[in-house]
Amino acid sequence: MKKLLFLLLFIGLGLVVQAAHLKGGWIKYEYLGDGSNPNTSKYRVTIRQYLDSMSNAGQIDAFVALSVFDGLSNQIVQTFNINSTSFSLPSKKYYDPCITPNPPNPRVNYRIDEYVGTIDLPNNINGYTLSVQRCCRVDNIANVVSAGNNTGITYVARIPGVMNGIDYSKNSNPDFIMRDTVLLCYNAPFTFSFSATDADGDSLSYMFCEGVNTPTADPKPAQSSNPPFPSVTYNPGYTGSTPLGNKVSIDPVTGIISGIAPGTVGTYVVSVCVNEYRNGVLFNTNRKEIHVNVANCSLAGASLKPSYITCDGFTLNFENESASSSIASYLWTFGETGVAPSSNPTPTHTYKDTGTYTLKLKVTSTGGCQDSTTALVRVYPGFTPDFTVQGTCYINSYRFLDATTTRYGVVDSWRWDLGDLSTNADTARSKDTAWKYSTPQSVQVRLIATNSKGCIDTVVKTVSILDKPIVNLAFKDTLICSIDTLALRATINNGTILWEPQLGRNSSRIINPNSTNPLVYPLDTTRYIVTVNDNGCQNKDTVTVNVLNFIKVELGPDTAICLSDQFRLRPISDALSYQWTASTGVPIASNSKYPLVQPLVNTKYYVIANLGKCQDRDSVAVRVVPYPYAVVMPDT
């Protein structure tokens, strides 16, 4: 009986330990100097583990297992048991009076257990990966699949090694600011900071990244599994880079997260990676992960976008980004002197000139709550992104040349997506770029450009990746006189060109055969083959030049028409140009082959027909007669 009781107690304790309770965490380390042994370094390591504030004693760890892996091979080096040193119970009990309904207290709370210890590590040019693994996350996470008992968490940090001959191991990673008791109202605008400080003075940049799962079923493994670690699986509509949906972003410079909160109430996994730069070189990345609460509340406040800009006009539309239904009045000022405020909930304003203005919105709720905010408005029209394409066939690279224009400021950034669906490497951030496609295809090339005034716009063009160069001929079949010289004409995008007459007595009767406009003077009808070559890309076409020894023109026999009628002169000839005159001196409006005439008296028409220097003449007489006169006799 005692054995059975002990077994049940042990099983119960295991269930308690494994129950869902984790809400995030991160690893901080500080370089302290040389270690106790030669060729070692000493670090103070702090692990902060976020738990549900209602976690029971069986879920609270007296120590955590910190595993250290080689930064290149990912093989285990050592595991340290780091003891608990303190804990805190931060909670959010007081809320802005403009939040309705006010959430029950405490709506946002944590238990944060802190584990601090010092470790000695051999100096290693590969650096190290530090990790702590634990199970399990809290239940009912909105943006992650199979949360709770099936989803663990891995806290991970990296100690850099030697890069390009520079030793970065004597490093302390960034320290995140502890402002984690944040509550977001669903579908409402918000901002909160995920910023960090760096003791070494390194430059920091921030980005969303994937939350990290743990592959082990052990709720508290004595040693972490080897890297790389699996990420959590996100629900549709969410990813590691969009953990709160596509309406939320993080400022890469400040670490401030802002946007419109998701429309589903619940807990959300948010993981942020901070990149460390030293002398312009990215040498390390660490992460922090917390769970953010989205509640069933609304914010009766004034909320604007971080900034507004117009790059194609002077008119902008404004609205309060807060979706609260309890706002009773609005007051907008647009930053221009001499312009009256507006009480319209969604005003439209046209600025008189370019510049940067301060927009201000003040709102009052039905309960008397007032709030105001400001945002910068930039008015700098005349920004047009564009690019040109150079390339002849898929065997060689296509070049994409920026042609963006801006009236104010300078174009200062470019982001290319070259449309190659077979790879993710077809991107660039240079002004101009090039790419070699593997097959002929039609691609959508996208350029996102910005200028120093804050304008950003996108241009998308369909580009045909060809199997051979393009050669455009002005004509493919023509006539010349045997005593004439003719200029052939072709247009190409790039490469070299060669014109070759067909074999025969005209093979040498060509001038400048390597130009796009050679001169030819064949004695008889000849075919000319044009070849375009661009580094192995080739295309061919032909032009046939028909040669006549003389030219004839015939207008036919004399004729008659009725007075006031019109008719066309219709010569029979192979000539390419015609000059017309009339015996009456009346000019003929057109020198086309078939002009329209309207003689009022008897007229003789003359034509001179030319094919180059070959010429012939003819004439035709036209007699003009009145319409017949009809007379009807009286009845008889």
Side-chain angles (χ1 to χ4, degrees):
M1 184 66 182
K2 289 181 179 180
K3 290 183 179 180
L4 178 59
L5 180 61
F6 176 78
L7 180 60
L8 292 174
L9 182 61
F10 179 80
I11 293 174
L13 179 60
L15 292 174
V16 168
V17 170
Q18 190 172 354
H21 63 292
L22 296 179
K23 302 180 78 171
W26 53 293
I27 298 174
K28 171 75 178 78
Y29 65 82
E30 303 165 79
Y31 173 73
L32 301 179
D34 293 338
S36 303
N37 298 315
N39 298 318
T40 63
S41 294
K42 185 183 294 292
Y43 299 89
R44 178 187 295 113
V45 179
T46 302
I47 299 99
R48 293 185 176 94
Q49 180 165 264
Y50 289 54
L51 289 77
D52 190 307
S53 63
M54 302 303 292
S55 298
N56 58 49
Q59 296 170 326
I60 298 171
D61 299 324
F63 66 90
V64 293
L66 174 70
S67 295
V68 180
F69 299 90
D70 181 86
L72 179 63
S73 68
N74 292 328
Q75 296 303 306
I76 187 68
V77 174
Q78 192 173 353
T79 295
F80 301 88
N81 290 334
I82 309 298
N83 293 322
S84 173
T85 55
S86 63
F87 72 93
S88 59
L89 295 168
S91 65
K92 191 173 185 67
K93 297 181 179 179
Y94 303 101
Y95 298 92
D96 192 307
C98 296
I99 293 179
T100 57
N102 207 294
N105 291 323
R107 182 64 175 83
V108 180
N109 49 50
Y110 291 99
R111 175 189 171 101
I112 302 179
D113 286 332
E114 194 168 273
Y115 305 83
V116 182
T118 58
I119 61 174
D120 280 11
L121 294 175
N123 297 334
N124 182 7
I125 61 173
N126 299 329
Y128 294 102
T129 298
L130 313 181
S131 77
V132 173
Q133 292 184 338
R134 190 67 166 85
C135 190
C136 300
R137 296 176 186 264
V138 294
D139 292 320
N140 302 318
I141 300 178
N143 63 340
V144 170
V145 175
S146 300
N149 291 338
N150 293 325
T151 306
I153 190 168
T154 298
Y155 318 128
V156 59
R158 185 173 179 273
I159 298 175
V162 176
M163 294 173 53
N164 298 324
I166 300 175
D167 186 2
Y168 293 96
S169 63
K170 298 174 175 56
N171 180 63
S172 298
N173 70 343
D175 193 8
F176 286 97
I177 296 174
M178 302 283 286
R179 295 174 182 170
D180 301 323
T181 54
V182 59
L183 177 113
L184 312 182
C185 293
Y186 77 103
N187 285 332
F190 72 92
T191 60
F192 75 88
S193 177
F194 227 105
S195 60
T197 59
D198 191 89
D200 301 321
D202 297 321
S203 298
L204 305 179
S205 70
Y206 305 85
M207 63 182 181
F208 287 129
C209 52
E210 293 182 333
V212 185
N213 201 348
T214 176
T216 178
D218 187 346
K220 185 184 177 183
Q223 176 182 304
S224 296
S225 58
N226 292 52
F229 306 114
S231 67
V232 296
T233 303
Y234 288 90
N235 280 317
Y238 304 98
T239 65
S241 58
T242 57
L244 296 170
N246 55 17
K247 295 181 180 180
V248 177
S249 61
I250 185 169
D251 189 312
V253 177
T254 64
I256 293 176
I257 298 174
S258 63
I260 306 298
T264 302
V265 173
T267 298
Y268 289 77
V269 173
V270 176
S271 180
V272 171
C273 286
V274 57
N275 300 313
E276 292 183 81
Y277 291 84
R278 189 172 297 172
N279 298 322
V281 176
L282 172 62
F283 71 93
N284 199 23
T285 299
N286 289 281
R287 80 178 66 216
K288 175 184 176 182
E289 185 177 316
I290 65 170
H291 291 188
V292 174
N293 292 289
V294 176
N296 182 14
C297 58
S298 63
L299 179 64
S303 178
L304 298 174
K305 296 177 181 178
S307 64
Y308 298 81
I309 189 167
T310 174
C311 298
D312 58 2
F314 293 85
T315 301
L316 292 100
N317 300 315
F318 301 108
E319 65 177 346
N320 187 13
E321 298 297 317
S322 173
S324 174
S325 60
S326 62
I327 296 177
S329 65
Y330 300 81
L331 185 65
W332 298 85
T333 54
F334 303 104
E336 279 190 304
T337 58
V339 176
S342 172
S343 59
N344 191 326
T346 56
T348 297
H349 182 68
T350 300
Y351 286 88
K352 299 175 183 177
D353 198 359
T354 59
T356 300
Y357 304 88
T358 300
L359 174 72
K360 183 176 181 180
L361 169 62
K362 181 179 180 180
V363 298
T364 303
S365 70
T366 53
C369 174
Q370 291 188 339
D371 191 25
S372 64
T373 189
T374 60
L376 291 180
V377 178
R378 295 180 176 88
V379 182
Y380 294 103
F383 177 70
T384 305
D386 195 13
F387 63 88
T388 59
V389 183
Q390 293 180 352
T392 53
C393 81
Y394 75 99
I395 295 176
N396 300 316
S397 296
Y398 273 69
R399 295 190 65 209
F400 301 90
L401 308 177
D402 172 63
T404 302
T405 58
T406 183
R407 186 178 304 170
Y408 303 97
V410 295
V411 183
D412 58 2
S413 79
W414 304 264
R415 189 162 71 226
W416 295 90
D417 182 347
L418 304 177
D420 191 339
L421 300 181
S422 66
T423 179
N424 292 324
D426 62 330
T427 59
R429 290 184 176 270
S430 54
K431 183 178 186 295
D432 304 321
T433 188
W435 187 254
K436 188 175 184 298
Y437 296 87
S438 58
T439 60
Q441 57 188 293
S442 179
V443 297
Q444 295 287 320
V445 177
R446 180 188 304 271
L447 169 63
I448 302 174
T450 66
N451 71 5
S452 56
K453 295 297 184 181
C455 294
I456 180 171
D457 205 353
T458 303
V459 58
V460 180
K461 293 184 180 181
T462 300
V463 179
S464 295
I465 310 303
L466 305 174
D467 62 341
K468 55 190 175 183
I470 293 177
V471 53
N472 292 317
L473 300 176
F475 49 83
K476 297 191 65 173
D477 198 347
T478 191
L479 277 172
I480 67 167
C481 185
S482 59
I483 59 175
D484 284 337
T485 298
L486 173 69
L488 303 177
R489 293 192 295 273
T491 303
I492 64 174
N493 290 340
N494 203 14
T496 61
I497 188 169
L498 175 64
W499 295 85
E500 297 177 291
Q502 68 182 30
L503 295 177
R505 60 176 179 164
N506 297 309
S507 59
S508 62
R509 300 178 69 84
I510 183 170
I511 301 173
N512 297 327
N514 295 109
S515 72
T516 55
N517 297 288
L519 300 176
V520 297
Y521 46 101
L523 297 173
D524 50 20
T525 298
T526 303
R527 290 176 68 247
Y528 293 87
I529 302 170
V530 56
T531 302
V532 178
N533 189 324
D534 182 21
N535 294 322
C537 295
Q538 289 193 7
N539 192 10
K540 294 186 178 184
D541 209 339
T542 60
V543 174
T544 300
V545 179
N546 299 283
V547 180
L548 300 179
N549 293 321
F550 59 88
I551 193 70
K552 289 288 294 179
V553 62
E554 294 182 1
L555 290 176
D558 296 342
T559 187
I561 68 167
C562 292
L563 181 66
S564 77
D565 279 0
Q566 293 179 325
F567 79 103
R568 291 193 181 276
L569 296 167
R570 296 187 177 275
I572 300 173
S573 177
D574 290 324
L576 297 180
S577 66
Y578 300 85
Q579 292 179 317
W580 295 92
T581 56
S583 60
T584 59
V586 176
I588 297 176
S590 171
N591 275 326
S592 66
K593 186 175 183 178
Y594 305 116
L596 184 66
V597 295
Q598 187 182 26
L600 300 178
V601 296
N602 293 343
T603 303
K604 194 168 188 177
Y605 292 97
Y606 303 91
V607 66
I608 300 175
N610 287 85
L611 177 61
K613 296 177 182 177
C614 292
Q615 189 178 92
D616 194 25
R617 301 167 184 263
D618 199 8
S619 63
V620 64
V622 180
R623 186 166 59 90
V624 179
V625 297
Y627 277 97
Y629 181 70
V631 177
V632 179
M633 301 301 291
D635 293 343
T636 183

